[in-house]
């Protein structure tokens, strides 16, 4: 990547994609908050945390502070608007939840790619960078579930981290080999999205170790 | 603000106010720990986390590391003393809990003001700075509830974040307009404290979205 | 300490000890995940978080970013391998759990010493540095329990934080007096390990405040 960091951060396409991913994640966070009977503050906080939490954790860990999402008010406004929309229209939003799950796969694909690429830009090696890509994708949902008082769904049921890992690997391996190009990013997001959609479609589940007592 | 940052940080009045706010928050954290039957370590950890957690999260996010509260041993000693007092004398402390709730409003007013002002000093915009003010006020209580194994009360019941947001807005809007003066800080804290006390007095509740199934 | 930081970080003995401590902590995290019926992702995440979480929290707070454990792929590989071993062979691993608990005491002794020494190196005072030593020892287990959906065991039952505090104090007091030598580190780890093993052997428990209602 020969682009200086600031140029990358302000690319209008990148910002638009980021905001799209954040808003879909925020919708899922707000829906969980409504289901858990939280009040309007809870809905807004879960929308913010689900939309921004993964990227913030990544930025804290790679040393990109203040996190990008605290340097641009749009990154805060979009998830709060998503939260207010869910708070007001939740029965209608709940009816389109299958579509939200599909859009969520797009957000996951985007986040695992931008997350691992940003970690590589900040000088981390390929293995930690892949982990940062996964964290960007699943961190918000983990914080959402902790705040909502349930065991994080990504740790016990859903095939969600694996597609993110696959996408992140498609970023970091070519990057390490000096072969990273824009189309690689698109391919990486595509791999993640396809795996996630297949997992939803065919109700894949990750294996369990079974009971220790059994 | 023409004062350099170090001067601000070491102002004796500021430190005294900070310590007062931290100790009240720490008392509430220790009481929750006693009620949840945690041991003396749990009481001390919850006192520390409730008193210092919000400011630490803010400092991590705005890039003020190490957090101010790790650079002065008094910031650690005060909440630990508060924890030990509650551990030893909790039945008496529990009897004065209504007064603790009132004092807690003073801590909230102080924290939302210092939190949003510090974020502005570190170059964040007004919207993120207001959010940092709210985080400084509610972050410790959220961490306390997570560690104690309950859904954070600020997300489901209490009118607590809204007064903090009001106080933070009274800081960041004048600051952005170049009109920030010391009396503005006092007015901002007053707005937050008044709203919080009214919320306690009249048992205000934030609206809920109702059941998604209903 | 006249050694420059990078030399300290790459000392082969230090890295080997770190990896040993991390792997024991990771085993305990993975066992909790299996018991809580998490899937393979949950087992891996809890192995990583338990092994690396305490040190990462410390590094974030003292400003050592990216954390050391994100700058060397071995720090990620070792806990993931530990997680996979538990996932595959958990009945056998569960049978040797008493030995894991003993090894865990070694990890605790190591972490409280390296954690408090690193904080002193980064310029924190002795009281915050001792706290960072305790955090390095107990932080991973706290995150593990939060993610597994249970109240952190260190806050309610086990004598675990106190040995870490004792070890950390044996580091920071001589350091502050200019008397820190390598054998002091060994003595500090020994104090922590001995206390922890005594606590396991004699089933020590930390005092509780009793019920507030009682």
């Amino acid at each position: 990547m020969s682009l200086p960091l600031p140029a990358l951060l302000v690319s209008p396409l990148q910002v638009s994609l980021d905001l799209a991913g954040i808003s879909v994640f925020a919708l899922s966070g707000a829906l969980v908050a409504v289901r858990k009977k939280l009040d309007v503050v809870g809905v807004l906080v879960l929308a913010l945390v689900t939309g921004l939490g993964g990227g913030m954790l990544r930025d804290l860990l790679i040393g990109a502070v203040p996190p990008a999402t605290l340097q641009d008010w749009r990154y805060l406004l979009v998830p709060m608007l998503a939260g207010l929309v869910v708070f007001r229209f939740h029965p209608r939003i709940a009816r389109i939840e299958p579509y939200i799950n599909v859009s969520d796969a797009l957000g996951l694909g985007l986040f695992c790619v931008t997350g691992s690429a940003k970690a590589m830009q900040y000088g981390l090696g390929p293995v930690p960078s892949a982990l940062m890509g996964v964290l960007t994708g699943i961190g918000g949902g983990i914080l959402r579930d902790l705040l909502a008082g349930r065991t994080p769904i990504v740790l016990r049921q859903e095939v969600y981290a694996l597609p993110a890992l696959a996408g992140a690997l498609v970023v970091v391996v070519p990057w390490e080999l000096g072969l990273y190009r824009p189309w690689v990013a698109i391919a990486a997001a595509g791999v993640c999205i396809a795996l996630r959609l297949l997992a939803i479609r065919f109700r894949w589940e990750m294996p369990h170790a079974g009971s220790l007592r059994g």
Side-chain angles (χ1 to χ4, degrees), chain A residues 75-95:
Chain A
Y75 286 122
L76 301 179
L77 196 69
V78 162
M80 288 204 289
L81 282 178
L84 289 176
V85 165
V86 169
F87 186 76
R88 177 69 186 80
F89 301 108
H90 59 89
R92 253 174 280 182
I93 303 290
R95 273 199 295 277

Side-chain angles (χ1 to χ4, degrees), chain A residues 48-112:
Chain A
L48 277 167
V49 162
T50 314
L52 308 178
M56 281 192 178
L57 287 176
R58 174 206 61 214
D59 283 352
L60 286 178
L61 287 168
I62 67 175
V65 284
T69 45
L70 286 183
Q71 297 185 3
D72 186 332
W73 56 270
R74 291 172 296 182
Y75 286 122
L76 301 179
L77 196 69
V78 162
M80 288 204 289
L81 282 178
L84 289 176
V85 165
V86 169
F87 186 76
R88 177 69 186 80
F89 301 108
H90 59 89
R92 253 174 280 182
I93 303 290
R95 273 199 295 277
I96 60 163
E97 200 167 7
Y99 303 98
I100 294 181
N101 283 338
V102 170
S103 318
D104 185 275
L106 305 182
L108 184 67
L110 181 74
F111 281 10
C112 72

